[in-house]
Amino acid sequence: MKLKLDLHDIFNRGQQIDKALRDIIDEAIEKKATLVEIIPGKGSGALKKKVLRFLDQREIKQLYHRVEKDGDNWGRLFVHFRFNESTGRRGRGR
């Protein structure tokens, strides 16, 4: 399952961005989605940096497996999740 978050509509509302990011991560965990596509857009790159800083927070970083920057579209990020099939719990890869 893949989820998608487009930040174009709230690009200049800092607290709403953090809430939207947290909500999509929580939804991915709840639904056991393996991928979340986040679209900060191209623009100046400030929103993408904000998203990356959010994802790099210790309490957030422990919730997902890895972040991938799209090589074809630098206005898009992928957050990968890994779940243990036998226990249903999320796992961190190396």
Side-chain angles (χ1 to χ4, degrees):
M1 170 186 279
K2 174 182 164 184
L3 300 175
K4 184 176 180 178
L5 175 63
D6 188 338
L7 295 173
H8 283 103
D9 292 340
I10 58 172
F11 71 93
N12 61 352
R13 299 182 208 136
Q15 288 184 333
Q16 286 183 352
I17 292 168
D18 288 353
K19 182 178 179 341
L21 290 167
R22 184 60 203 231
D23 287 350
I24 198 78
I25 288 171
D26 289 345
E27 183 179 355
I29 292 167
E30 178 185 324
K31 293 181 176 179
K32 292 186 174 67
T34 56
L35 182 67
V36 172
E37 178 183 351
I38 300 174
I39 303 173
K42 294 179 182 177
S44 69
L47 183 53
K48 182 177 179 179
K49 288 177 186 173
K50 179 175 179 45
V51 171
L52 290 170
R53 279 193 305 271
F54 176 88
L55 293 171
D56 202 37
Q57 296 175 83
R58 180 184 294 182
E59 66 274 9
I60 300 299
K61 199 171 189 173
Q62 68 187 2
L63 300 175
Y64 63 85
H65 171 59
R66 69 184 174 94
V67 174
E68 174 188 2
K69 297 174 185 173
D70 188 339
D72 296 327
N73 178 354
W74 58 272
R76 180 168 61 176
L77 300 165
F78 298 106
V79 182
H80 296 267
F81 293 81
R82 189 179 278 176
F83 298 92
N84 183 321
E85 291 181 20
S86 63
T87 64
R89 293 179 11 197
R90 66 183 180 278
R92 298 254 321 149
R94 298 252 181 242

Short mmCIF file of all heavy atoms in Angstrom, two decimals, residues 3-68:
data_model
loop_
_atom_site.label_atom_id
_atom_site.label_comp_id
_atom_site.label_asym_id
_atom_site.label_seq_id
_atom_site.Cartn_x
_atom_site.Cartn_y
_atom_site.Cartn_z
N LEU A 3 0.77 5.56 0.29
CA LEU A 3 0.03 6.77 0.64
C LEU A 3 0.74 7.96 0.02
O LEU A 3 1.94 7.91 -0.24
CB LEU A 3 -0.04 6.93 2.16
CG LEU A 3 -0.70 5.80 2.94
CD1 LEU A 3 -0.59 6.04 4.43
CD2 LEU A 3 -2.16 5.65 2.54
N LYS A 4 -0.01 9.04 -0.15
CA LYS A 4 0.56 10.23 -0.80
C LYS A 4 0.15 11.48 -0.04
O LYS A 4 -0.99 11.61 0.38
CB LYS A 4 0.04 10.31 -2.25
CG LYS A 4 0.61 11.42 -3.07
CD LYS A 4 0.09 11.31 -4.49
CE LYS A 4 0.60 12.39 -5.39
NZ LYS A 4 0.12 12.23 -6.76
N LEU A 5 1.11 12.39 0.13
CA LEU A 5 0.86 13.68 0.78
C LEU A 5 1.41 14.78 -0.10
O LEU A 5 2.61 14.85 -0.34
CB LEU A 5 1.52 13.72 2.16
CG LEU A 5 1.44 15.06 2.90
CD1 LEU A 5 -0.01 15.42 3.21
CD2 LEU A 5 2.27 15.00 4.18
N ASP A 6 0.53 15.63 -0.59
CA ASP A 6 0.92 16.77 -1.42
C ASP A 6 0.85 18.02 -0.54
O ASP A 6 -0.21 18.37 -0.04
CB ASP A 6 -0.02 16.89 -2.61
CG ASP A 6 0.44 17.93 -3.62
OD1 ASP A 6 1.21 18.84 -3.25
OD2 ASP A 6 0.01 17.83 -4.78
N LEU A 7 1.97 18.68 -0.36
CA LEU A 7 2.06 19.83 0.54
C LEU A 7 1.85 21.17 -0.18
O LEU A 7 2.00 22.22 0.44
CB LEU A 7 3.41 19.83 1.26
CG LEU A 7 3.63 18.65 2.20
CD1 LEU A 7 5.05 18.65 2.72
CD2 LEU A 7 2.63 18.67 3.35
N HIS A 8 1.51 21.17 -1.44
CA HIS A 8 1.35 22.42 -2.19
C HIS A 8 0.35 23.38 -1.54
O HIS A 8 0.57 24.58 -1.51
CB HIS A 8 0.91 22.14 -3.64
CG HIS A 8 2.03 21.67 -4.50
ND1 HIS A 8 2.19 20.35 -4.85
CD2 HIS A 8 3.04 22.34 -5.08
CE1 HIS A 8 3.26 20.24 -5.61
NE2 HIS A 8 3.80 21.43 -5.78
N ASP A 9 -0.76 22.86 -1.04
CA ASP A 9 -1.81 23.71 -0.50
C ASP A 9 -1.46 24.37 0.83
O ASP A 9 -2.05 25.39 1.19
CB ASP A 9 -3.11 22.92 -0.33
CG ASP A 9 -3.72 22.51 -1.66
OD1 ASP A 9 -3.37 23.13 -2.69
OD2 ASP A 9 -4.52 21.56 -1.67
N ILE A 10 -0.52 23.80 1.58
CA ILE A 10 -0.19 24.34 2.90
C ILE A 10 1.28 24.73 3.02
O ILE A 10 1.83 24.78 4.11
CB ILE A 10 -0.58 23.34 4.02
CG1 ILE A 10 0.12 21.99 3.83
CG2 ILE A 10 -2.08 23.19 4.11
CD1 ILE A 10 -0.08 21.04 4.99
N PHE A 11 1.91 25.03 1.89
CA PHE A 11 3.36 25.24 1.85
C PHE A 11 3.87 26.34 2.78
O PHE A 11 5.02 26.33 3.17
CB PHE A 11 3.83 25.52 0.42
CG PHE A 11 3.41 26.88 -0.10
CD1 PHE A 11 4.25 27.97 0.03
CD2 PHE A 11 2.18 27.06 -0.70
CE1 PHE A 11 3.87 29.22 -0.44
CE2 PHE A 11 1.78 28.29 -1.18
CZ PHE A 11 2.63 29.39 -1.04
N ASN A 12 3.02 27.29 3.16
CA ASN A 12 3.50 28.39 4.00
C ASN A 12 2.90 28.37 5.40
O ASN A 12 2.89 29.38 6.08
CB ASN A 12 3.21 29.74 3.32
CG ASN A 12 1.73 29.97 3.09
OD1 ASN A 12 0.93 29.07 3.30
ND2 ASN A 12 1.37 31.17 2.67
N ARG A 13 2.41 27.24 5.83
CA ARG A 13 1.81 27.12 7.17
C ARG A 13 2.56 26.06 7.95
O ARG A 13 2.19 24.88 7.94
CB ARG A 13 0.34 26.76 7.05
CG ARG A 13 -0.45 27.82 6.31
CD ARG A 13 -1.91 27.47 6.25
NE ARG A 13 -2.46 28.07 5.04
CZ ARG A 13 -3.27 27.45 4.22
NH1 ARG A 13 -3.64 26.22 4.43
NH2 ARG A 13 -3.71 28.07 3.14
N GLY A 14 3.62 26.47 8.65
CA GLY A 14 4.53 25.56 9.33
C GLY A 14 3.90 24.52 10.22
O GLY A 14 4.21 23.33 10.12
N GLN A 15 3.01 24.93 11.12
CA GLN A 15 2.41 23.96 12.05
C GLN A 15 1.51 22.98 11.31
O GLN A 15 1.44 21.81 11.67
CB GLN A 15 1.64 24.68 13.14
CG GLN A 15 2.55 25.36 14.13
CD GLN A 15 1.78 26.01 15.27
OE1 GLN A 15 0.62 26.38 15.12
NE2 GLN A 15 2.44 26.15 16.41
N GLN A 16 0.82 23.43 10.28
CA GLN A 16 -0.04 22.52 9.52
C GLN A 16 0.81 21.51 8.74
O GLN A 16 0.40 20.37 8.57
CB GLN A 16 -0.94 23.29 8.57
CG GLN A 16 -2.07 23.99 9.27
CD GLN A 16 -3.01 24.70 8.29
OE1 GLN A 16 -2.75 24.78 7.10
NE2 GLN A 16 -4.12 25.20 8.81
N ILE A 17 1.98 21.93 8.30
CA ILE A 17 2.89 21.01 7.59
C ILE A 17 3.34 19.91 8.54
O ILE A 17 3.27 18.73 8.21
CB ILE A 17 4.09 21.78 7.00
CG1 ILE A 17 3.61 22.68 5.87
CG2 ILE A 17 5.17 20.80 6.52
CD1 ILE A 17 4.64 23.69 5.42
N ASP A 18 3.79 20.29 9.74
CA ASP A 18 4.22 19.29 10.73
C ASP A 18 3.09 18.33 11.07
O ASP A 18 3.30 17.12 11.15
CB ASP A 18 4.73 19.97 12.00
CG ASP A 18 6.07 20.66 11.82
OD1 ASP A 18 6.69 20.51 10.73
OD2 ASP A 18 6.51 21.34 12.76
N LYS A 19 1.88 18.86 11.25
CA LYS A 19 0.74 18.01 11.56
C LYS A 19 0.42 17.07 10.41
O LYS A 19 0.17 15.88 10.61
CB LYS A 19 -0.48 18.85 11.91
CG LYS A 19 -1.69 17.99 12.30
CD LYS A 19 -2.88 18.82 12.69
CE LYS A 19 -4.11 18.02 13.07
NZ LYS A 19 -4.21 16.65 12.66
N ALA A 20 0.44 17.58 9.18
CA ALA A 20 0.16 16.74 8.01
C ALA A 20 1.19 15.62 7.88
O ALA A 20 0.85 14.47 7.57
CB ALA A 20 0.13 17.59 6.75
N LEU A 21 2.46 15.94 8.13
CA LEU A 21 3.52 14.94 8.06
C LEU A 21 3.33 13.88 9.14
O LEU A 21 3.43 12.68 8.88
CB LEU A 21 4.89 15.59 8.19
CG LEU A 21 5.33 16.44 6.99
CD1 LEU A 21 6.54 17.29 7.36
CD2 LEU A 21 5.63 15.55 5.79
N ARG A 22 3.05 14.32 10.35
CA ARG A 22 2.85 13.36 11.45
C ARG A 22 1.63 12.49 11.18
O ARG A 22 1.65 11.27 11.40
CB ARG A 22 2.70 14.12 12.77
CG ARG A 22 2.58 13.19 13.98
CD ARG A 22 3.82 12.33 14.08
NE ARG A 22 3.57 11.12 14.81
CZ ARG A 22 4.30 10.70 15.82
NH1 ARG A 22 5.36 11.38 16.19
NH2 ARG A 22 4.02 9.59 16.44
N ASP A 23 0.56 13.10 10.68
CA ASP A 23 -0.67 12.35 10.39
C ASP A 23 -0.43 11.28 9.33
O ASP A 23 -0.92 10.16 9.46
CB ASP A 23 -1.79 13.29 9.94
CG ASP A 23 -2.36 14.13 11.07
OD1 ASP A 23 -2.03 13.88 12.25
OD2 ASP A 23 -3.13 15.07 10.77
N ILE A 24 0.33 11.61 8.27
CA ILE A 24 0.55 10.62 7.21
C ILE A 24 1.45 9.48 7.69
O ILE A 24 1.26 8.33 7.32
CB ILE A 24 1.08 11.28 5.90
CG1 ILE A 24 0.87 10.34 4.69
CG2 ILE A 24 2.54 11.64 6.00
CD1 ILE A 24 -0.52 10.30 4.17
N ILE A 25 2.41 9.79 8.56
CA ILE A 25 3.26 8.75 9.13
C ILE A 25 2.43 7.84 10.03
O ILE A 25 2.54 6.61 9.97
CB ILE A 25 4.46 9.36 9.86
CG1 ILE A 25 5.43 9.92 8.83
CG2 ILE A 25 5.15 8.33 10.76
CD1 ILE A 25 6.57 10.74 9.40
N ASP A 26 1.59 8.43 10.88
CA ASP A 26 0.72 7.63 11.74
C ASP A 26 -0.22 6.77 10.91
O ASP A 26 -0.46 5.60 11.25
CB ASP A 26 -0.09 8.54 12.67
CG ASP A 26 0.76 9.19 13.75
OD1 ASP A 26 1.91 8.74 13.98
OD2 ASP A 26 0.28 10.16 14.37
N GLU A 27 -0.76 7.32 9.83
CA GLU A 27 -1.66 6.55 8.96
C GLU A 27 -0.91 5.39 8.30
O GLU A 27 -1.44 4.29 8.19
CB GLU A 27 -2.27 7.46 7.89
CG GLU A 27 -3.25 6.76 7.00
CD GLU A 27 -3.88 7.66 5.94
OE1 GLU A 27 -3.64 8.88 5.94
OE2 GLU A 27 -4.61 7.12 5.08
N ALA A 28 0.32 5.63 7.87
CA ALA A 28 1.11 4.57 7.24
C ALA A 28 1.34 3.42 8.23
O ALA A 28 1.24 2.25 7.86
CB ALA A 28 2.45 5.13 6.76
N ILE A 29 1.63 3.77 9.48
CA ILE A 29 1.86 2.74 10.49
C ILE A 29 0.56 1.98 10.77
O ILE A 29 0.54 0.76 10.82
CB ILE A 29 2.44 3.37 11.77
CG1 ILE A 29 3.85 3.87 11.48
CG2 ILE A 29 2.42 2.38 12.93
CD1 ILE A 29 4.42 4.78 12.54
N GLU A 30 -0.53 2.72 10.91
CA GLU A 30 -1.83 2.11 11.20
C GLU A 30 -2.26 1.17 10.09
O GLU A 30 -2.73 0.06 10.33
CB GLU A 30 -2.87 3.21 11.38
CG GLU A 30 -4.26 2.69 11.64
CD GLU A 30 -5.28 3.82 11.70
OE1 GLU A 30 -4.95 4.91 12.19
OE2 GLU A 30 -6.42 3.60 11.23
N LYS A 31 -2.06 1.59 8.84
CA LYS A 31 -2.51 0.79 7.69
C LYS A 31 -1.42 -0.15 7.16
O LYS A 31 -1.63 -0.85 6.18
CB LYS A 31 -2.97 1.72 6.56
CG LYS A 31 -4.22 2.49 6.93
CD LYS A 31 -4.67 3.38 5.80
CE LYS A 31 -5.97 4.08 6.15
NZ LYS A 31 -6.41 4.98 5.07
N LYS A 32 -0.25 -0.12 7.80
CA LYS A 32 0.90 -0.93 7.37
C LYS A 32 1.28 -0.65 5.92
O LYS A 32 1.60 -1.55 5.15
CB LYS A 32 0.63 -2.41 7.60
CG LYS A 32 0.56 -2.78 9.06
CD LYS A 32 0.44 -4.27 9.24
CE LYS A 32 0.51 -4.68 10.68
NZ LYS A 32 -0.58 -4.27 11.51
N ALA A 33 1.24 0.63 5.56
CA ALA A 33 1.67 1.05 4.22
C ALA A 33 3.19 0.94 4.15
O ALA A 33 3.88 1.28 5.11
CB ALA A 33 1.23 2.48 3.95
N THR A 34 3.70 0.47 3.06
CA THR A 34 5.15 0.33 2.92
C THR A 34 5.81 1.56 2.32
O THR A 34 7.03 1.69 2.37
CB THR A 34 5.49 -0.90 2.05
OG1 THR A 34 4.84 -0.75 0.78
CG2 THR A 34 5.04 -2.18 2.72
N LEU A 35 5.00 2.48 1.78
CA LEU A 35 5.57 3.65 1.11
C LEU A 35 4.66 4.87 1.28
O LEU A 35 3.45 4.77 1.12
CB LEU A 35 5.73 3.36 -0.39
CG LEU A 35 6.37 4.45 -1.24
CD1 LEU A 35 7.82 4.66 -0.86
CD2 LEU A 35 6.27 4.09 -2.71
N VAL A 36 5.27 5.99 1.60
CA VAL A 36 4.57 7.27 1.61
C VAL A 36 5.31 8.20 0.65
O VAL A 36 6.52 8.39 0.77
CB VAL A 36 4.54 7.91 3.02
CG1 VAL A 36 3.98 9.32 2.97
CG2 VAL A 36 3.71 7.06 3.98
N GLU A 37 4.58 8.72 -0.30
CA GLU A 37 5.12 9.69 -1.25
C GLU A 37 4.78 11.08 -0.73
O GLU A 37 3.61 11.38 -0.48
CB GLU A 37 4.49 9.48 -2.63
CG GLU A 37 4.95 10.46 -3.66
CD GLU A 37 4.26 10.26 -5.00
OE1 GLU A 37 3.53 9.24 -5.19
OE2 GLU A 37 4.42 11.13 -5.87
N ILE A 38 5.79 11.90 -0.52
CA ILE A 38 5.59 13.27 -0.05
C ILE A 38 6.01 14.22 -1.16
O ILE A 38 7.12 14.12 -1.67
CB ILE A 38 6.39 13.55 1.23
CG1 ILE A 38 5.96 12.59 2.35
CG2 ILE A 38 6.21 15.01 1.68
CD1 ILE A 38 6.79 12.69 3.61
N ILE A 39 5.12 15.14 -1.50
CA ILE A 39 5.40 16.09 -2.57
C ILE A 39 5.48 17.50 -1.97
O ILE A 39 4.46 18.14 -1.75
CB ILE A 39 4.31 16.02 -3.66
CG1 ILE A 39 4.23 14.61 -4.21
CG2 ILE A 39 4.61 17.04 -4.76
CD1 ILE A 39 3.10 14.37 -5.15
N PRO A 40 6.72 17.95 -1.69
CA PRO A 40 6.87 19.32 -1.23
C PRO A 40 6.90 20.30 -2.40
O PRO A 40 6.78 21.51 -2.21
CB PRO A 40 8.20 19.31 -0.48
CG PRO A 40 8.96 18.17 -1.07
CD PRO A 40 7.94 17.18 -1.56
N GLY A 41 7.09 19.80 -3.60
CA GLY A 41 7.19 20.64 -4.79
C GLY A 41 8.62 21.11 -5.00
O GLY A 41 9.48 20.95 -4.14
N LYS A 42 8.87 21.69 -6.13
CA LYS A 42 10.23 22.10 -6.49
C LYS A 42 10.56 23.45 -5.89
O LYS A 42 11.43 23.56 -5.06
CB LYS A 42 10.40 22.08 -7.99
CG LYS A 42 10.29 20.67 -8.54
CD LYS A 42 10.44 20.62 -10.03
CE LYS A 42 10.29 19.19 -10.53
NZ LYS A 42 10.35 19.10 -11.96
N GLY A 43 9.87 24.48 -6.23
CA GLY A 43 10.07 25.81 -5.65
C GLY A 43 11.51 26.14 -5.31
O GLY A 43 12.43 25.80 -6.03
N SER A 44 11.70 26.79 -4.18
CA SER A 44 13.04 27.19 -3.74
C SER A 44 13.79 26.06 -3.04
O SER A 44 14.99 26.17 -2.80
CB SER A 44 12.93 28.37 -2.78
OG SER A 44 12.34 27.96 -1.56
N GLY A 45 13.08 25.01 -2.67
CA GLY A 45 13.70 23.91 -1.94
C GLY A 45 13.55 24.04 -0.44
O GLY A 45 13.90 23.13 0.31
N ALA A 46 13.01 25.17 0.05
CA ALA A 46 12.87 25.39 1.49
C ALA A 46 11.89 24.39 2.12
O ALA A 46 12.14 23.88 3.22
CB ALA A 46 12.42 26.82 1.77
N LEU A 47 10.79 24.10 1.44
CA LEU A 47 9.81 23.17 1.99
C LEU A 47 10.38 21.76 2.05
O LEU A 47 10.18 21.04 3.02
CB LEU A 47 8.51 23.22 1.19
CG LEU A 47 7.37 22.35 1.69
CD1 LEU A 47 7.05 22.61 3.16
CD2 LEU A 47 6.12 22.57 0.83
N LYS A 48 11.11 21.37 1.02
CA LYS A 48 11.73 20.04 1.02
C LYS A 48 12.71 19.93 2.18
O LYS A 48 12.75 18.91 2.88
CB LYS A 48 12.44 19.80 -0.31
CG LYS A 48 13.07 18.42 -0.42
CD LYS A 48 13.69 18.22 -1.79
CE LYS A 48 14.34 16.87 -1.93
NZ LYS A 48 14.91 16.69 -3.26
N LYS A 49 13.48 20.99 2.43
CA LYS A 49 14.42 20.97 3.57
C LYS A 49 13.66 20.86 4.88
O LYS A 49 14.09 20.15 5.79
CB LYS A 49 15.29 22.23 3.55
CG LYS A 49 16.31 22.23 2.45
CD LYS A 49 17.09 23.53 2.44
CE LYS A 49 18.02 23.57 1.23
NZ LYS A 49 18.67 24.86 1.08
N LYS A 50 12.53 21.55 5.00
CA LYS A 50 11.72 21.48 6.21
C LYS A 50 11.22 20.04 6.42
O LYS A 50 11.25 19.52 7.53
CB LYS A 50 10.54 22.45 6.14
CG LYS A 50 9.65 22.40 7.36
CD LYS A 50 8.58 23.45 7.32
CE LYS A 50 7.66 23.41 8.52
NZ LYS A 50 8.28 23.27 9.82
N VAL A 51 10.75 19.42 5.34
CA VAL A 51 10.27 18.04 5.43
C VAL A 51 11.40 17.11 5.86
O VAL A 51 11.22 16.26 6.75
CB VAL A 51 9.67 17.58 4.08
CG1 VAL A 51 9.38 16.08 4.09
CG2 VAL A 51 8.40 18.37 3.76
N LEU A 52 12.57 17.27 5.28
CA LEU A 52 13.71 16.42 5.64
C LEU A 52 14.12 16.63 7.10
O LEU A 52 14.46 15.67 7.79
CB LEU A 52 14.88 16.67 4.70
CG LEU A 52 14.68 16.16 3.27
CD1 LEU A 52 15.78 16.67 2.35
CD2 LEU A 52 14.60 14.63 3.25
N ARG A 53 14.09 17.88 7.57
CA ARG A 53 14.39 18.15 9.00
C ARG A 53 13.36 17.48 9.90
O ARG A 53 13.70 16.90 10.94
CB ARG A 53 14.43 19.65 9.27
CG ARG A 53 15.73 20.31 8.87
CD ARG A 53 15.86 21.72 9.43
NE ARG A 53 14.74 22.58 9.08
CZ ARG A 53 14.65 23.33 8.00
NH1 ARG A 53 15.66 23.34 7.12
NH2 ARG A 53 13.60 24.09 7.77
N PHE A 54 12.09 17.54 9.51
CA PHE A 54 11.03 16.89 10.28
C PHE A 54 11.30 15.38 10.36
O PHE A 54 11.25 14.78 11.44
CB PHE A 54 9.66 17.15 9.65
CG PHE A 54 8.54 16.44 10.35
CD1 PHE A 54 7.89 17.03 11.41
CD2 PHE A 54 8.15 15.17 9.95
CE1 PHE A 54 6.86 16.36 12.07
CE2 PHE A 54 7.13 14.50 10.60
CZ PHE A 54 6.49 15.09 11.66
N LEU A 55 11.59 14.78 9.21
CA LEU A 55 11.82 13.33 9.17
C LEU A 55 13.07 12.91 9.91
O LEU A 55 13.19 11.76 10.34
CB LEU A 55 11.90 12.87 7.71
CG LEU A 55 10.60 12.98 6.91
CD1 LEU A 55 10.87 12.69 5.43
CD2 LEU A 55 9.53 12.04 7.46
N ASP A 56 14.01 13.83 10.11
CA ASP A 56 15.27 13.51 10.77
C ASP A 56 15.19 13.62 12.30
O ASP A 56 16.14 13.28 12.99
CB ASP A 56 16.37 14.43 10.24
CG ASP A 56 17.75 13.84 10.46
OD1 ASP A 56 17.90 12.61 10.34
OD2 ASP A 56 18.68 14.60 10.78
N GLN A 57 14.06 14.06 12.83
CA GLN A 57 13.90 14.13 14.28
C GLN A 57 13.95 12.72 14.86
O GLN A 57 13.37 11.79 14.30
CB GLN A 57 12.56 14.77 14.65
CG GLN A 57 12.42 16.20 14.23
CD GLN A 57 11.04 16.71 14.54
OE1 GLN A 57 10.76 17.11 15.66
NE2 GLN A 57 10.16 16.65 13.54
N ARG A 58 14.60 12.57 15.99
CA ARG A 58 14.80 11.24 16.59
C ARG A 58 13.49 10.47 16.75
O ARG A 58 13.41 9.29 16.37
CB ARG A 58 15.49 11.36 17.93
CG ARG A 58 15.71 10.01 18.59
CD ARG A 58 16.31 10.12 19.95
NE ARG A 58 17.65 10.67 19.82
CZ ARG A 58 18.45 10.86 20.83
NH1 ARG A 58 18.07 10.55 22.04
NH2 ARG A 58 19.66 11.36 20.65
N GLU A 59 12.46 11.11 17.30
CA GLU A 59 11.20 10.39 17.57
C GLU A 59 10.46 10.03 16.28
O GLU A 59 9.69 9.08 16.26
CB GLU A 59 10.29 11.18 18.52
CG GLU A 59 9.76 12.47 17.96
CD GLU A 59 10.69 13.67 18.15
OE1 GLU A 59 11.85 13.52 18.57
OE2 GLU A 59 10.25 14.78 17.83
N ILE A 60 10.72 10.76 15.21
CA ILE A 60 10.09 10.45 13.92
C ILE A 60 10.92 9.41 13.17
O ILE A 60 10.39 8.45 12.61
CB ILE A 60 9.93 11.73 13.06
CG1 ILE A 60 9.06 12.77 13.79
CG2 ILE A 60 9.37 11.41 11.69
CD1 ILE A 60 7.65 12.34 14.09
N LYS A 61 12.23 9.59 13.19
CA LYS A 61 13.13 8.71 12.44
C LYS A 61 12.99 7.25 12.84
O LYS A 61 13.16 6.36 12.02
CB LYS A 61 14.57 9.19 12.66
CG LYS A 61 15.54 8.71 11.65
CD LYS A 61 16.87 9.41 11.82
CE LYS A 61 17.77 9.09 10.66
NZ LYS A 61 18.99 9.86 10.69
N GLN A 62 12.66 7.01 14.10
CA GLN A 62 12.52 5.62 14.55
C GLN A 62 11.25 4.95 14.03
O GLN A 62 11.09 3.74 14.16
CB GLN A 62 12.58 5.55 16.06
CG GLN A 62 11.41 6.19 16.76
CD GLN A 62 11.59 6.24 18.27
OE1 GLN A 62 12.61 5.84 18.79
NE2 GLN A 62 10.59 6.73 18.95
N LEU A 63 10.36 5.72 13.41
CA LEU A 63 9.10 5.17 12.93
C LEU A 63 9.15 4.61 11.52
O LEU A 63 8.27 3.86 11.12
CB LEU A 63 8.01 6.26 13.00
CG LEU A 63 7.71 6.83 14.39
CD1 LEU A 63 6.72 7.98 14.28
CD2 LEU A 63 7.22 5.75 15.33
N TYR A 64 10.16 5.00 10.75
CA TYR A 64 10.23 4.54 9.35
C TYR A 64 11.57 3.86 9.09
O TYR A 64 12.49 3.92 9.89
CB TYR A 64 9.98 5.70 8.38
CG TYR A 64 11.01 6.81 8.44
CD1 TYR A 64 12.20 6.73 7.71
CD2 TYR A 64 10.81 7.94 9.23
CE1 TYR A 64 13.14 7.74 7.76
CE2 TYR A 64 11.75 8.95 9.29
CZ TYR A 64 12.91 8.85 8.56
OH TYR A 64 13.85 9.84 8.62
N HIS A 65 11.65 3.25 7.92
CA HIS A 65 12.86 2.50 7.55
C HIS A 65 13.90 3.40 6.88
O HIS A 65 15.05 3.44 7.30
CB HIS A 65 12.46 1.34 6.63
CG HIS A 65 13.61 0.62 6.01
ND1 HIS A 65 14.58 0.00 6.75
CD2 HIS A 65 13.95 0.43 4.72
CE1 HIS A 65 15.47 -0.54 5.93
NE2 HIS A 65 15.11 -0.29 4.70
N ARG A 66 13.50 4.13 5.83
CA ARG A 66 14.46 5.00 5.13
C ARG A 66 13.73 6.04 4.29
O ARG A 66 12.55 5.87 3.97
CB ARG A 66 15.42 4.21 4.26
CG ARG A 66 14.80 3.56 3.05
CD ARG A 66 15.82 2.72 2.28
NE ARG A 66 15.17 2.01 1.20
CZ ARG A 66 15.08 2.47 -0.05
NH1 ARG A 66 15.62 3.60 -0.39
NH2 ARG A 66 14.47 1.75 -0.98
N VAL A 67 14.45 7.10 3.93
CA VAL A 67 13.93 8.15 3.05
C VAL A 67 14.70 8.09 1.75
O VAL A 67 15.91 7.93 1.74
CB VAL A 67 14.10 9.55 3.68
CG1 VAL A 67 13.71 10.64 2.71
CG2 VAL A 67 13.29 9.67 4.96
N GLU A 68 13.97 8.22 0.65
CA GLU A 68 14.58 8.21 -0.68
C GLU A 68 14.20 9.49 -1.41
O GLU A 68 13.02 9.86 -1.45
CB GLU A 68 14.05 7.00 -1.45
CG GLU A 68 14.47 6.93 -2.88
CD GLU A 68 13.75 5.80 -3.63
OE1 GLU A 68 12.90 5.10 -3.05
OE2 GLU A 68 14.04 5.66 -4.84
#
